[in-house]
Amino acid sequence: MNDALARLPKMDRVLDAPALAGVPWRRDIVRRVAESMLGALRVALREGKATEAIDAETLAARVAATLETWSTPHPTRVINATGVLLHTNLGRAPWSQAAIDAAAAAAGACDLEVELDSGVRGSRFAWMRPLLSAVIGAEDVHVVNNNAAALLIACTVLGAPGGVVLSHGQMVEIGDGFRVATMAAAGGCRIVGVGSTNRTHLADYEAALDPARGAPASAILWVHLSNFEQHGYVAEVELSALAALARARGVPLIADVGSGSLGGNLPGREPTVAAYLEAGADVVLASGDKLLGGPQAGLVAGGTAWVDRIRKHPMARALRPDKTTLAALHATALAHAAIDTTGGVPALPLHRMVAATMDELRTRARALAARLQLGDDAVVEVDATIGGGSLPGDRLASVAVRLPGRASALARRLRLGTPAVVGRIEDDAVLVDLRTVAPAQDDELAAAVLAAGRGT
Ligand SMILES: *Cc1c(COP(=O)(O)O)cnc(C)c1O
């Protein structure tokens, strides 16, 4: 019915085309890509969405281009000039050089589960447990893949058999459609929602835990609001009041705090993991790559009796982190442990970025503006944020360079450069915020912006 369909090239001719001659890909993969392109074109021709056939050489060139895209390393490095320190889409906390070196050293054969002293089999966690516990200020700690995994295992293990009580006001959706209550329930844990969106009272929790009920809940789950705030006619029960109730009923209080600050030079409004434990949480769950400033990991910190039950559950095996994560986490913990000798600022990129003074940022921004042949009026004071679901609404004063040019087109050229630069668009201009750029990246940033500017 459409002779373009009949003119589509034979597969052998595509595969023999010069464009695909030397490509370093298995032939079945090359064929699969070509077949899927031909298939899509066939459908488009049938549906009248395309009218022209394609010749073998053009199709082969497209296949080669697709394979070339696939070969590009991913995820790869970008310069985060967004002003959002913990940008989930940009990989959250940047690792320290010590963490990178430690992970690289562990990447080959390593002493993950052997004690070199005695030669006997060891545990991948045992050696780090006392160190991490001391740094966090907890009796015990267990490490899993991420905070979502910590939530899953803590609720599955400690919430059995009656489920966890959770205020409707804390049923947070974090990013990408993930909801805390759904993750907590994913291992079969019952979620006993209490209260209302804006107001939950102690009596609501008491009722859910009442032994006179048919099936009282087995734990209390308290969730950090992370990325939003409630104002107006609102009421939540203090963590310490929940702790007293949990103790009276003999059930654990699980606090999912998300960001997991260990203190140091971070804004004091976000309590530390230790502060949540002191306030009475039995188990605190936190991410490794938010305010901790390390690799993606989930910390389960708290009393040994509770943490041990989690550690010994079969699910712990499915959620355990790999050797490179543990190595990077170890290096990150050491940086927190050493802050008395590093001026109160952990030797971690995140904490150094928070510590940068406005004067330092201004000096760097002026130098960048000068290299871009922009005047000092391109240097603007802006607000950066910590991000990563920590300290919602908190602003960190910062300094940016405002780039001239059509914002969306320039932003795209910056993203497609090497290295990619991700800025933010404000008032129809691209801003590169220096708060989230390591000073060692300033030269590269200037070169990348100059290169993107030449594309105009
Ligand atoms: C970020 C966050 C999570 C998820 O943490 P991941 O480490 O990304 O899995 C869970 N709960 C809260 C409250 C959070 O802020």
Side-chain angles (χ1 to χ4, degrees), residues 82-86 383-387 391 393-396 424 433 435-436:
T82 60
V84 181
L85 280 131
L86 294 172
D383 283 333
T385 54
I386 296 214
L391 306 156
D394 257 22
R395 298 262 146 199
L396 268 176
R424 71 170 184 272
D433 190 322
R435 169 83 57 194
T436 50

Side-chain angles (χ1 to χ4, degrees), residues 12 15 83 87 93-94 97 123 168 173 176 209 219 244-245 266 272 311 343 360 375 381 393 395 406 410 453:
D12 286 347
L15 298 180
H87 201 303
Q97 192 56 49
S123 138
H168 281 117
E173 177 167 311
D176 207 19
L209 292 164
L245 175 61
L266 295 180
T272 59
R311 179 162 33 233
E360 285 162 11
E381 297 203 357
R395 298 262 146 199
R406 239 178 23 95
L410 176 59

Side-chain angles (χ1 to χ4, degrees), residues 81-83 365 368 372 382 399-403 414 421-424 430-437 445 449:
T82 60
L368 175 61
L372 302 175
V382 293
V399 183
V401 175
R402 185 192 297 274
L403 305 178
L414 284 166
V421 174
V422 185
R424 71 170 184 272
V430 176
L431 298 183
V432 290
D433 190 322
L434 289 173
R435 169 83 57 194
T436 50
V437 178
L445 173 63
V449 175

Side-chain angles (χ1 to χ4, degrees), residues 34 122 357:
T357 66

